[in-house]
Amino acid sequence: MKFSRKTAAFAAVLAGVLVAGTACGGSDDENASGGDITLTVDTFGAFGYEELFTQYEAAHPGIKIEHRNEKEHEKVYVPKLLQYLETGSGAGDVVALEEGVLTSLRGQADKFIDFNGYGGAELEANFIKWKYDLGKSLDGKSLMALGTDVGGLAMCYRTDLFEKAGLPTERDEVSKLWPTWADYSATGAKFQDKVADTKFVDGPAALYNAILSQEAPKNGNYTYFDNAGAYVADKNPAVKTAFDTVNGLKDLSAGLKAFTPEWQTGFKKDSFATMACPAWMLGVIKENSGDAYAGKWDVASVPGGGGNWGGSYLAVPKQSEHPKEAAELAEFLTSPESQIAAFKAVNALPTSPQALADPQVADAKNDYFNDAPVGKIFAAGASTLQPVQLGVENVSVRTVFEDILIAIGQGQLSAGEGWTKAIEDGRKKSE
Amino acid sequence: MKQNRPLARAATWFDLKAAPYFLVSPYFILFAIFGLFPLGFTVWVSLHDWELAGDREWIGLQNYTDLVLDPDFWNSVVNTLGMFVMATVPQLLLALMLANALNKRMRFRLLFRLGVLVPMVTSIVAVAVVFGQLFARDYGAFNWLLGTDGLDWKAEKLTSWTAISVMVDWRWAGYNALIYLAAMQAIPRDLYEAASIDGASSRRQFWQITIPMLKPAIIFTTLTSTIGGLSLFTEPVMFAQGDVGGGSLGQFQTIAMYMYEMAFREREYGYASAVAWMLFLLIVLVSLVSFLFTRRIGGTK
Amino acid sequence: MKDNLPKATVLTRIALGFALILSAFPIYWMFIIATRGNDVVGQVPPPLLPGGNLGENLERLWDMRDANFVLGLTNSAIIATTVTVSVVVLSSLAGFAFAKLRFKGRDGLLVTVLLTMAVPLQQMGIIPLYIMMVKLGWTDQLQAVILPFLVNAFGVFFMRQYAEQAIPDELIEAARVDGCSTLRIYWSIVLPALRPAIAVLGLLTFMQTWNEFIWPMAVLTQSNPTVQLSLSNLNGAHFQDYTLVFTGTALATLPLIVIFILFGRQIVGGIMEGAVK
């Protein structure tokens, strides 16, 4: 038998391969009877949970946490999440939902566990009232999600580059430079005259969303959709104002799309000197700039007087195999103490009154940002922040507007053409 | 064993008749399940407003009528055809020249042949990552080399198509060159010798003899490039760092990317299936056209 | 291959040398950057010599939990090996039958195979395949990636073309007279004769599967990726840390480069053989 050995070898290989192929290398290495449980947590951007995970694992032997983080939110994180929810598998045990995404899901409470079944009702006092209420399903029966943070606005800027441009560098002085967006624009023009290689603004997205969140309260407190859910992007002055203001700053902008690799690189390349900063953005800036830029960023007030953009929630999809453990983890991560920790880590502005009042937050200085009194800047106004009505399709429409602003910056469209196209494409997405 | 003979004969007869089917059946069974069935099922899905969760509604040809009026779809068709032409024509010409150069007497022949094939070995993702860095706006090597400082290759149709076509060309030119080379080596030498005696220059020999004799190889490479080029996906996706939108206005979104976006980002499975079928039709159409076109090369013999 | 070919002119050699550099440079550069530190980012002219940071880069890649790089490598190895074995075995079986056996409907079936060669199935049927895998509950599992690739038309056709001329009919006749069954003939005559073709098809299939992107991207998630998906995630999340990303690309390319160095001659031969027929 000349080939029996070959046959045997071949069969062995095949068998080995088949066994390997069916024993999947997934993350489902649990057994129901009290072995190790792996909880997967899905986040985007920067949530500042790494230390908390370590803590939690130490306090709960038998629970392992796998953290899946996507940098890009609208085009990567959200579509995947919605796909997992629709197919009933693939989502993390705990998922982070940006405010706009949560708004779009409040009609689908059946896809998430109800925290009321896990002691969520007792937690009400831990959250600013509107934040807690927004986490409920539309019919108010189910508590779908727990708030993590709110998005008070400021303006971050590079002190070293301001010095180069002969501008003041001290934060109160800088705040005085731009009470309005027009002043901001004038400052930018001065800056770019002096510093050739750096643009004044990072790109359109953060600016646009910041201005939109300022303008919405003046116009019925909604953006693309009115309170009845009708598409009103073409009629709402808030949208037009934000759109036009950003286009007016086009020549001062590096034209980078937020959260793309190029944008992340821009931090290390001195591509821009200022950016609109909701509280959570500080963590993103720090993460992208790295230690080399410690102390070079600072925080001033935002032109146009405050606003609230973004902020997120945690929820547990129904498809989780460990709803109880996942709910406990989510409750831990949104507890006042954890919110304080996340604030320290990435400046995620707490949505818990206790945390906001805590000296660790209220008196906090951020050493990375040149010891800026972030507690005073952000936390002081947090309790007065109000949510903007968003509408179910707000995420897809927002994405359309952000993309078109980029295209206008690239010179592919005139501002007028861009506006028409944004209104139309937005309408298409909302249908 | 005498009494076993009829049995043995029956077995042999059965073996002769049935064994071939037994040998080819695994291929056809697997192909039916994972190739043919999905293909047919795509049609079925494309006639519905299809949701995974279970709600699906029969809407007949509406996906197709919507598609015909969808500017984003036509944009992706234009991009796909544009990049296909930009990538295929230079690539095949380059491959021809390479093959002609390789078809000479020299040392290290194998080394050269291996060398031109190296790009095909690299994964498309890796190629796109490397080229993405080379084409980067703010500090890319190409902007530095060309002196086009700050040129955003992703911003315009033409520049983004160029960048993506360069990736495709770089990867496939060597492979196609080897196919041409093999075909060149199969051409009988005496044809050339006769032409030399008639005083034909080597350039003329190339056009009069080599090209016509290469026709089957040219047709083959054109067809494979057509199928590959029209279903272009990975390079442009990686060029946008994993985004299937293909730039701020979809300036380099291909049909395959549009299909993917509709299916896996918008979760419009019915609509995406309609896109898939249109892509299929387009591939058949363009294959036919390029087949007829390449068949005419070098005149009829 | 006769040496009555015209001799290469100097110009030809220079042009070829240039082509060689163009072909190899991006890959060379990838490996170079993988050994450098991030100080080279944006450096003009770009660095061309290796540095000493490879170990550190590998360590960072290993610690990068969100890319799951090691798992990606393992998964890709499993997928590519399984698919390669399956394609080679099933293609050689069918190819042998189509080339050397007579049976009813043979030509019709062969034409079917040829026709399907022209269909980019992975892209055409991706949506129903995905729906199928969701219904089976196999999303994010390796078999979802493996199953659709177990056979391919090109393999069958390639094997048929090779078997046609590599196996003398007399040999099969003789074996039949000796009373060998078809399977027995396959084992003892066909397989050894097809060995070169098996090597080429196996290598090409392995490379192709290793590089597959669109289908794994649709059906797997970040927590159970293939190496190409890990790479894509890595590039998306750490674009500015491009020494890290290039270390990843270099690692993902390394197995193929090794295969190429070992079997390059056969691959070139195989591509050229297949082209002539």
Side-chain angles (χ1 to χ4, degrees):
Chain A
M1 294 299 278
K2 217 177 70 184
F3 38 86
S4 66
R5 222 182 27 206
K6 218 187 320 181
T7 320
F10 173 74
V13 168
L14 192 65
V17 161
L18 287 177
V19 169
T22 45
C24 276
S27 54
D28 0 322
D29 47 352
E30 70 264 301
N31 40 37
S33 54
D36 273 3
I37 287 179
T38 300
L39 294 176
T40 308
V41 181
D42 287 347
T43 65
F44 54 89
F47 271 72
Y49 284 165
E50 285 72 10
E51 298 240 326
L52 291 170
F53 289 152
T54 316
Q55 253 185 57
Y56 196 82
E57 281 176 336
H60 302 76
I63 289 193
K64 272 183 50 218
I65 296 174
E66 190 199 349
H67 182 204
R68 298 191 300 193
N69 177 272
E70 291 283 5
K71 294 285 171 271
E72 210 284 339
H73 177 252
E74 270 103 77
K75 294 199 164 176
V76 182
Y77 182 80
V78 177
K80 273 191 188 166
L81 175 75
L82 296 178
Q83 194 187 335
Y84 298 153
L85 290 175
E86 185 171 21
T87 56
S89 78
D93 297 288
V94 177
V95 296
L97 305 174
E98 192 256 1
E99 201 168 80
V101 177
L102 172 74
T103 307
S104 67
L105 291 169
R106 286 178 74 200
Q108 307 177 40
D110 58 322
K111 294 209 166 73
F112 296 93
I113 62 138
D114 180 357
F115 279 102
N116 286 323
Y118 301 93
E122 288 93 82
L123 302 174
E124 189 163 359
N126 286 350
F127 299 91
I128 295 173
K129 182 162 181 356
W130 64 260
K131 189 82 181 178
Y132 183 81
D133 290 342
L134 250 184
K136 291 178 185 164
S137 58
L138 282 181
D139 57 16
K141 286 201 181 84
S142 165
L143 182 58
M144 293 167 57
L146 299 172
T148 56
D149 67 320
V150 287
L153 277 175
M155 180 64 76
C156 296
Y157 68 99
R158 285 273 303 274
T159 51
D160 54 332
L161 295 172
F162 268 46
E163 188 166 3
K164 213 164 145 189
L167 292 166
T169 57
E170 201 281 317
R171 65 185 73 89
D172 294 340
E173 298 287 319
V174 172
S175 301
K176 279 186 201 134
L177 290 174
W178 51 55
T180 67
W181 288 105
D183 299 322
Y184 176 76
S185 177
T187 310
K190 269 188 222 151
F191 174 89
Q192 270 182 220
D193 278 346
K194 294 278 199 316
V195 186
D197 311 339
T198 304
K199 294 287 190 194
F200 193 56
V201 198
D202 64 317
L207 210 55
Y208 169 77
N209 287 304
I211 300 171
L212 189 58
S213 72
Q214 290 178 336
E215 292 296 319
K218 306 174 194 167
N219 294 289
N221 203 27
Y222 53 76
T223 55
Y224 310 106
F225 300 92
D226 66 14
N227 296 333
Y231 180 71
V232 292
D234 49 338
K235 306 186 195 68
N236 186 352
V239 181
K240 185 80 172 125
T241 306
F243 194 86
D244 290 347
T245 311
V246 172
N247 281 330
L249 289 159
K250 188 173 73 184
D251 298 328
L252 305 173
S253 165
L256 294 163
K257 189 168 160 39
F259 297 99
T260 57
E262 286 95 344
W263 180 79
Q264 294 172 339
T265 311
F267 286 96
K268 287 202 166 85
K269 290 258 160 239
D270 302 349
S271 298
F272 42 85
T274 69
M275 61 185 298
C277 268
W280 46 264
M281 191 69 89
L282 268 63
V284 178
I285 292 177
K286 181 177 171 181
E287 188 177 281
N288 285 315
S289 305
D291 294 341
Y293 285 84
K296 292 186 178 175
W297 282 96
D298 207 325
V299 190
S301 64
V302 71
N308 176 30
W309 167 34
S312 299
Y313 289 81
L314 295 183
V316 176
K318 266 265 170 57
Q319 56 186 257
S320 167
E321 290 179 21
H322 312 285
K324 179 171 163 294
E325 290 80 359
E328 282 166 7
L329 176 60
E331 286 169 6
F332 164 79
L333 291 171
T334 54
S335 68
E337 299 72 35
S338 296
Q339 289 192 31
I340 294 171
F343 177 77
K344 282 181 171 166
V346 295
N347 207 59
L349 185 57
T351 174
S352 135
Q354 301 88 320
L356 285 167
D358 191 292
Q360 292 186 77
V361 174
D363 305 336
K365 291 194 164 35
N366 191 318
D367 59 351
Y368 190 88
F369 287 81
N370 203 15
D371 284 331
V374 283
K376 223 168 57 215
I377 295 170
F378 290 106
S383 46
T384 63
L385 291 176
Q386 281 302 317
V388 172
Q389 296 296 328
L390 289 168
V392 172
E393 290 295 343
N394 74 87
V395 183
S396 1
V397 177
R398 174 175 52 175
T399 309
V400 166
F401 275 75
E402 288 173 358
D403 272 351
I404 284 175
L405 284 167
I406 293 276
I408 293 170
Q410 288 172 329
Q412 293 196 70
L413 295 168
S414 73
E417 287 167 345
W419 174 251
T420 316
K421 188 169 164 56
I423 294 297
E424 273 321 299
D425 289 4
R427 188 187 307 281
K428 250 198 336 201
K429 289 275 188 221
S430 65
E431 277 161 4
Chain B
M1 299 304 241
K2 259 191 172 141
Q3 62 272 51
N4 269 348
R5 195 162 287 164
L7 191 66
R9 206 174 300 148
T12 313
W13 179 85
F14 178 79
D15 180 63
L16 273 176
K17 282 283 170 235
Y21 297 105
F22 174 73
L23 295 188
V24 298
S25 60
Y27 168 80
F28 282 101
I29 290 168
L30 284 168
F31 181 79
I33 299 174
F34 296 108
L36 219 51
F37 166 72
L39 207 59
F41 201 54
T42 307
V43 183
W44 180 243
V45 176
S46 76
L47 302 173
H48 292 76
D49 183 358
W50 190 287
E51 285 184 13
L52 271 176
D55 294 340
R56 64 191 69 133
E57 188 192 343
W58 171 270
I59 53 170
L61 291 174
Q62 202 196 318
N63 280 327
Y64 292 91
T65 47
D66 287 353
L67 198 56
V68 172
L69 299 172
D70 179 354
D72 290 345
F73 170 68
W74 290 112
N75 169 57
S76 76
V77 173
V78 169
N79 293 343
T80 307
L81 289 173
M83 282 189 249
F84 164 63
V85 172
M86 261 174 110
T88 309
V89 177
Q91 182 196 134
L92 295 184
L93 289 175
L94 203 68
L96 259 179
M97 293 194 297
L98 259 179
N100 199 34
L102 286 169
N103 197 17
K104 299 271 194 294
R105 213 157 17 120
M106 60 183 128
R107 272 185 308 178
F108 310 124
R109 209 155 42 182
L110 183 65
L111 176 75
F112 281 118
R113 285 176 191 179
L114 286 174
V116 295
L117 202 58
V118 162
M120 206 195 89
V121 176
T122 339
S123 80
I124 308 184
V125 177
V127 172
V129 166
V130 173
F131 277 80
Q133 287 282 0
L134 293 170
F135 278 113
R137 183 186 82 169
D138 291 339
Y139 45 92
F142 280 128
N143 275 348
W144 169 72
L145 274 174
L146 302 169
T148 46
D149 226 19
L151 171 63
D152 187 351
W153 291 86
K154 290 193 186 79
E156 303 277 340
K157 268 201 192 317
L158 274 183
T159 49
S160 56
W161 292 5
T162 307
I164 291 161
S165 303
V166 166
M167 295 181 207
V168 178
D169 286 350
W170 180 79
R171 193 154 190 269
W172 291 106
Y175 173 79
N176 287 322
L178 284 187
I179 288 180
Y180 291 154
L181 178 60
M184 280 177 188
Q185 293 182 341
I187 300 172
R189 299 289 326 158
D190 43 22
L191 280 178
Y192 291 108
E193 278 152 22
S196 294
I197 292 165
D198 294 345
S201 68
S202 62
R203 176 160 310 185
R204 187 143 172 219
Q205 287 180 24
F206 180 75
W207 286 110
Q208 296 284 332
I209 300 168
T210 313
I211 295 284
M213 293 297 283
L214 283 185
K215 210 186 291 180
I218 293 176
I219 290 174
F220 173 77
T221 51
T222 311
L223 287 183
T224 49
S225 304
T226 304
I227 295 164
L230 294 180
S231 38
L232 188 66
F233 178 82
T234 310
E235 288 94 339
V237 168
M238 289 306 297
F239 190 51
Q241 276 92 29
D243 176 16
V244 291
S248 49
L249 292 177
Q251 54 268 37
F252 53 95
Q253 184 176 45
T254 63
I255 307 174
M257 286 159 88
Y258 190 60
M259 175 190 86
Y260 192 99
E261 180 181 17
M262 285 298 131
F264 300 105
R265 206 202 276 166
E266 303 289 327
R267 300 177 316 287
E268 299 274 0
Y269 298 101
Y271 198 70
S273 297
V275 177
W277 265 104
M278 298 293 258
L279 173 60
F280 181 63
L281 282 179
L282 190 77
I283 288 177
V284 171
L285 209 77
V286 177
S287 298
L288 267 177
V289 170
S290 49
F291 174 68
L292 293 173
F293 176 74
T294 43
R295 229 182 38 177
R296 305 186 44 163
I297 293 182
T300 43
K301 286 220 321 248
Chain C
M1 316 276 346
K2 307 289 164 293
D3 270 355
N4 53 4
L5 283 170
K7 217 165 147 40
T9 59
V10 174
L11 196 65
T12 308
R13 283 164 203 241
I14 291 174
L16 275 179
F18 192 65
L20 207 58
I21 290 172
L22 275 185
S23 291
F25 177 75
I27 298 168
Y28 170 78
W29 189 56
M30 178 169 92
F31 280 95
I32 291 302
I33 299 295
T35 66
R36 302 293 293 245
N38 263 323
D39 53 300
V40 300
V41 173
Q43 196 175 307
V44 279
L48 297 176
L49 292 170
N53 299 56
L54 181 61
E56 180 196 334
N57 288 339
L58 282 175
E59 221 162 286
R60 287 195 304 143
L61 188 64
W62 250 234
D63 294 341
M64 204 51 73
R65 277 175 69 175
D66 56 5
N68 270 329
F69 205 82
V70 183
L71 182 61
L73 278 169
T74 320
N75 282 344
S76 281
I78 293 170
I79 292 168
T81 311
T82 314
V83 167
T84 303
V85 169
S86 163
V87 165
V88 164
V89 171
L90 298 182
S91 298
S92 60
L93 279 174
F96 157 55
F98 278 127
K100 293 289 160 187
L101 301 178
R102 278 186 294 276
F103 54 99
K104 243 206 207 76
R106 180 176 84 168
D107 296 344
L109 287 175
L110 186 60
V111 169
T112 316
V113 174
L114 272 177
L115 280 178
T116 55
M117 223 162 106
V119 186
L121 280 173
Q122 268 62 49
Q123 317 223 318
M124 284 298 311
I126 189 172
I127 295 151
L129 276 176
Y130 179 75
I131 295 171
M132 228 155 111
M133 295 305 165
V134 169
K135 291 271 178 284
L136 290 166
W138 284 354
T139 48
D140 208 21
Q141 303 195 6
L142 297 193
Q143 64 263 37
V145 181
I146 293 171
L147 285 167
F149 293 109
L150 285 179
V151 290
N152 74 50
F154 168 78
V156 173
F157 183 69
F158 180 85
M159 281 296 179
R160 180 196 168 268
Q161 296 303 81
Y162 192 87
E164 189 93 272
Q165 45 95 37
I167 305 164
D169 284 317
E170 302 78 51
L171 211 59
I172 295 184
E173 293 304 323
R176 288 251 183 252
V177 171
D178 286 352
C180 285
S181 69
T182 309
L183 260 187
R184 179 69 198 259
I185 291 173
Y186 171 79
W187 266 120
S188 42
I189 298 171
V190 177
L191 266 189
L194 290 181
R195 202 174 295 159
I198 285 177
V200 173
L201 180 65
L203 295 167
L204 288 177
T205 308
F206 190 92
M207 286 184 190
Q208 208 180 349
T209 316
W210 183 265
N211 292 338
E212 199 53 54
F213 188 62
I214 183 168
W215 174 238
M217 180 174 165
V219 82
L220 296 180
T221 70
Q222 213 187 339
S223 47
N224 194 28
T226 63
V227 73
Q228 308 299 340
L229 286 181
S230 310
L231 214 52
S232 171
N233 286 331
L234 194 68
N235 189 45
H238 305 280
F239 180 80
Q240 78 276 39
D241 186 350
Y242 84 137
T243 54
L244 180 77
V245 177
F246 276 36
T247 308
T249 35
L251 261 189
T253 311
L254 197 61
L256 301 186
I257 297 278
V258 169
I259 288 178
F260 194 68
I261 289 170
L262 293 177
F263 303 104
R265 185 189 292 261
Q266 284 88 327
I267 296 173
V268 169
I271 288 173
M272 290 179 65
E273 293 257 324
V276 181
K277 285 162 204 104

